[in-house]
């Protein structure tokens, strides 16, 4: 049972924007046990769009189309579809009401370009009758066509909540399809490939997959079957096998981010945290505060980019800085202790490192990073070497620091210094 | 003169890998003044590959095909092409010699799977007779087909060094194609659409486009012409027209991020900055330190999530907090002053707000944000109301705060409090 994906936008065929939507839709459909035969990107151009639509209707069972649904002049997908499929544009009452509500709630005026979004090809049904992300579906010669916005957040939401469940329920022969995502950190691709090789042939019908999602790796297990009970049992078994092999790297089963997992552990333990950041520049605090309710456990932090602020605000001793240098285990430890004292939190977390691309030395090359963690009288630190660009080193450092908190609260015996 | 791109690989249609090659080829061809009408991704499947090739030969002048040229079992592109175009596979002597040299230099054995790479469809010519990245070109019914490896580095190298120069010399009518991107912040889509409507018909041959890139809007102007001088002149005129209408929103012409622009202005003025963040949680520091060389002007900051740290670390007065609340102009001002004093910087930047989704009140609903900026004895603050999720409110707040610095250093008379 296969379908295809059409992504529309001059920004795609001009190479200005990577086709994130095509990849996302393909990944989701594949994970749901469906096959994608083709992903086509075309510009905002009637001839190309109509040709792609006609071909898709001839050869596929379902089609995901993204882009061109907004309020601007370039957004012509509805017009193109109307013309290509000979279905006049009609005003959709539900959609019009949604736009009206949106306009009123923000105290802006209804304009023709906003109203335009409520005109859809005859026979369309809007996908999300209660939300603001617009999208619609129509059936042509038995083929289901889903039209989604090009804005990735909206597209992903509609895809996950409306499109995938509908297609799965229509086209899947076995009634129950379940997938689990296991998010791992600290595993490289070859290591995961090795694991999958070990498991090959041992997981029955369970389909294993893995997807690098820098700096994480996502392992998926999916299975289609007759009943919820059977599918759940099989997936449980596969999950257990995988956890036996790489369990200490798996930080979430599901869609949680590292910072959400850390927040949950802190809440469970009733503990608070503060952060002292050097090379990460504030990213750890930023990520912790992306989680709603983080003010329950996150008190704040100090971004100590220069040495002076390490001494003044974090009480790092000038002697330690001089003897070991700012990028060192002892300084990471003093930063963690210092911020913990400053904010009066249970835990103090710190990072100091060389993000690059300049500033490296033979002894401390670019990517050298120390993580520190203070809890009561206990202070740990560990050294890492990360690879990649400045932004990648920062990202790895922040993720590793957060993972330290997770592992510490889990009592992980492999944590350096334990 | 347009062409198309076909990228081959199960990893693409399963969503395991983003189609980086398609985007790269499209960007390079567009920048060279050529048009890409379509990018198609198909799996390692004869039917889909041959259908895509046949269609491309019918409708395009040139075709870039990537993937499936390696030595593994999945690498079937040459076989598919041979069958689809009825050109038997022949052993290419040049290619065979290259592989032999490679094998000898690494002291490994020649295997059938390595030799396989030397077998190409009849009439092919290898692209890179001296290197190890393999690829070939053939001409079918006057259409030039370029077959490149899927390994991004190799693909990019062959594209830049062999493919683009050859196509440009063959197909370009107007030799010069230039595009400029103007990055704007603080404009919503309907406003930009309005602007473009005003400009329509007034920019000659210049093609206008705009792309929302939350929370920014990118305006592009592009033109193809006879000479660099003519194209530059026309683009300059269009750019001036746009700047007249929305100039104070345009923060960069080119690909710079807001934090890079801010960093450059600070460097030019020889000024330093520190940040006091509440609801943004560290994002401003994180973004400022994404820029290489930011330690020249960024000294650090305080993430003051709770009231206590606002008082202890930023010297915000308890009275101000009590009278106006943590989310208020006076507190934003004291935070900016406080952090500036703490770090001894020229500028102090602050943000305090309600990121949501909880914590809002009728007087201070979710999305209420105050930005503060201190410079010498001068202290400014301004209030905003942002929409969207917690993460969006944080992102808007950080971007607005950074934009304040840019505008302040530019002497923008519209900045609140000036």
């Amino acid at each position: 049972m296969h379908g295809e994906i059409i992504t529309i936008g001059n920004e795609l065929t001009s190479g200005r924007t990577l086709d994130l939507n095509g990849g996302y839709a393909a990944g989701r459909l594949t994970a749901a046990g469906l096959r994608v035969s083709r992903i086509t990107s075309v510009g905002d151009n009637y001839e190309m769009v109509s040709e792609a639509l006609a071909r898709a209707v001839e050869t596929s069972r379902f089609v995901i189309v993204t882009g061109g649904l907004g309020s601007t002049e370039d957004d012509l997908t509805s017009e193109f579809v109307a013309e290509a499929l000979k279905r006049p544009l009609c005003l959709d009452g539900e959609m019009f009401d949604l736009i009206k509500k949106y306009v009123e709630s923000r105290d802006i005026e209804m304009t023709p370009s906003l109203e335009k979004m409520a005109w859809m090809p005859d026979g369309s049904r809007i996908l999300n009758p209660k939300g603001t992300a617009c999208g619609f579906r129509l059936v042509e010669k038995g083929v289901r066509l889903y039209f989604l916005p090009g804005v990735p957040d909206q597209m992903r939401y509609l895809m996950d909540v409306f499109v995938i469940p509908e297609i799965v329920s229509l086209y899947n022969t076995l009634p129950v399809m379940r997938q689990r995502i296991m998010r791992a950190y600290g595993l490289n691709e070859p290591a995961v490939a090795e694991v999958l090789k070990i498991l090959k042939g041992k997981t029955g019908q369970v389909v294993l997959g893995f997807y690098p999602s820098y700096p994480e790796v996502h392992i998926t297990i999916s299975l289609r079957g007759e009943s919820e009970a059977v599918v759940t049992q099989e997936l449980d078994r596969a999950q257990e096998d995988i956890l036996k092999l790489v369990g200490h790297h798996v930080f979430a089963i599901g869609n949680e981010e590292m910072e959400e997992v850390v927040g949950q552990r802190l809440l469970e333990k009733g503990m608070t945290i503060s952060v002292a950041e050097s090379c990460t520049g504030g990213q750890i605090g930023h990520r912790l505060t992306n989680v709603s309710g983080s003010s329950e456990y996150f008190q704040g932090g100090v971004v100590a980019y220069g040495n002076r602020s390490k001494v003044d605000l974090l009480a790092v001793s000038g002697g330690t800085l001089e003897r070991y240098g700012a990028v060192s285990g002892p300084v990471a430890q003093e930063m963690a202790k210092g911020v913990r004292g400053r904010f009066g939190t249970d835990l103090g977390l710190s990072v100091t490192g060389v993000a690059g691309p300049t500033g490296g030395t033979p002894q401390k090359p670019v990517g050298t990073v120390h993580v520190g963690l203070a809890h009561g009288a206990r202070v740990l630190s560990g050294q890492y070497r990360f690879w990649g660009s400045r932004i990648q080193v920062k990202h790895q450092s922040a993720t590793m620091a957060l993972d330290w908190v997770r592992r510490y609260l889990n009592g992980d015996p492999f944590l350096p210094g334990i």
Side-chain angles (χ1 to χ4, degrees), chain A:
Chain A
M1 212 55 64
H2 64 85
E4 64 180 277
I5 299 161
I6 300 170
T7 56
I8 301 175
N10 290 333
E11 72 279 14
L12 302 172
T13 50
S14 68
R16 258 209 61 209
T17 304
L18 268 183
D19 183 16
L20 297 174
N21 288 337
Y24 186 81
R28 288 320 227 192
L29 290 163
T30 304
L34 298 148
R35 265 245 310 282
V36 175
S37 61
R38 179 167 47 208
I39 307 170
T40 309
S41 300
V42 291
D44 302 300
N45 167 296
Y46 174 67
E47 220 174 284
M48 297 308 296
V49 172
S50 66
E51 197 260 352
L53 281 174
R55 191 157 34 88
V57 168
E58 260 169 50
T59 57
S60 289
R61 294 294 295 273
F62 60 88
V63 188
I64 314 291
V65 185
T66 70
L69 295 188
S71 63
T72 73
E73 281 192 16
D74 304 347
D75 291 313
L76 294 166
T77 298
S78 294
E79 282 90 328
F80 290 165
V81 175
E83 197 168 329
L85 304 182
K86 309 257 175 292
R87 293 166 177 250
L89 287 174
C90 304
L91 186 70
D92 184 283
E94 270 187 303
M95 188 68 199
F96 185 74
D97 287 346
L98 275 178
I99 297 170
K100 230 172 74 183
K101 255 190 230 160
Y102 172 86
V103 158
E104 282 162 5
S105 75
R106 305 218 165 176
D107 208 22
I108 53 178
E109 268 181 55
M110 176 69 92
T111 61
S113 58
L114 282 170
E115 193 196 304
K116 182 182 84 135
M117 294 196 292
W119 290 80
M120 298 176 184
D122 194 19
S124 302
R125 285 213 42 180
I126 73 170
L127 282 176
N128 182 19
K130 289 189 180 154
T132 51
C134 68
F136 60 90
R137 179 243 292 145
L138 57 82
V139 183
E140 174 79 12
K141 299 182 184 160
V143 178
R144 299 182 91 79
L145 295 121
Y146 295 89
F147 295 88
L148 307 178
V151 181
D153 283 351
Q154 297 181 7
M155 181 270 173
R156 288 174 185 211
Y157 174 75
L158 293 176
M159 193 75 197
D160 291 351
V161 177
F162 295 92
V163 179
I164 294 276
E166 189 172 295
I167 300 183
V168 165
S169 74
L170 281 167
Y171 296 126
N172 265 350
T173 41
L174 288 172
V176 179
M177 162 76 198
R178 292 291 175 269
Q179 183 185 55
R180 290 185 202 163
I181 301 174
M182 308 167 81
R183 299 175 73 145
Y185 174 67
L187 273 175
N188 54 16
E189 270 193 62
V192 181
E194 217 35 55
V195 167
L196 294 188
K197 210 177 270 173
I198 293 171
L199 291 174
K200 210 171 179 176
K202 294 185 189 153
T203 52
Q205 300 290 350
V206 173
V207 180
L208 281 170
F210 74 101
Y211 306 86
S213 175
Y214 184 88
E216 302 165 12
V217 172
H218 297 179
I219 306 168
T220 62
I221 48 176
S222 40
L223 182 65
R224 189 182 297 148
E226 283 296 350
S227 75
E228 184 79 40
V230 170
V231 169
T232 300
Q233 197 187 356
E234 289 290 302
L235 287 182
D236 283 347
R237 205 163 54 188
Q239 179 176 317
E240 212 175 293
D241 288 345
I242 294 169
L243 289 179
K244 249 181 240 157
L245 286 165
V246 292
H248 59 289
H249 289 290
V250 174
F251 65 86
I253 295 172
N255 267 320
E256 283 170 316
E257 301 288 344
M258 180 67 86
E259 45 269 29
E260 290 178 84
V261 174
V262 168
Q264 230 150 40
R265 292 283 177 289
L266 287 167
L267 274 182
E268 284 162 16
K269 303 257 177 188
M271 289 167 93
T272 56
I273 192 170
S274 56
V275 296
E277 308 191 46
S278 181
C279 68
T280 47
Q283 185 184 156
I284 301 174
H286 167 46
R287 286 170 63 180
L288 281 169
T289 58
N290 277 347
V291 182
S292 175
S294 47
S295 58
E296 291 287 314
Y297 46 84
F298 178 65
Q299 292 300 313
V302 170
V303 180
Y305 222 55
N307 277 349
R308 191 187 132 184
S309 52
K310 290 188 181 76
V311 174
D312 288 357
L313 287 158
L314 296 171
V316 173
S317 94
T320 311
L321 277 168
E322 206 163 304
R323 192 168 334 147
Y324 301 100
V327 177
S328 66
V331 167
Q333 294 200 2
E334 291 190 15
M335 285 171 69
K337 270 195 289 190
V339 79
R340 182 179 169 275
R342 261 292 179 197
F343 284 83
T345 48
D346 298 306
L347 299 177
L349 178 67
S350 71
V351 173
T352 177
V354 187
T358 58
T361 64
Q363 287 75 40
K364 294 175 184 177
V366 168
T368 304
V369 173
H370 292 263
V371 173
L373 182 64
H375 178 213
R378 196 174 198 184
V379 194
L380 316 174
S381 68
Q383 179 177 344
Y384 295 92
R385 173 77 192 276
F386 298 121
W387 303 92
S389 67
R390 177 183 183 83
I391 285 171
Q392 287 174 324
V393 170
K394 283 182 67 188
H395 196 121
Q396 286 268 19
S397 306
T399 306
M400 183 57 84
L402 290 168
D403 198 38
W404 265 54
V405 178
R406 178 186 75 86
R407 288 163 65 191
Y408 181 77
L409 297 180
N410 283 354
D412 182 337
F414 298 110
L415 207 60
I418 293 255

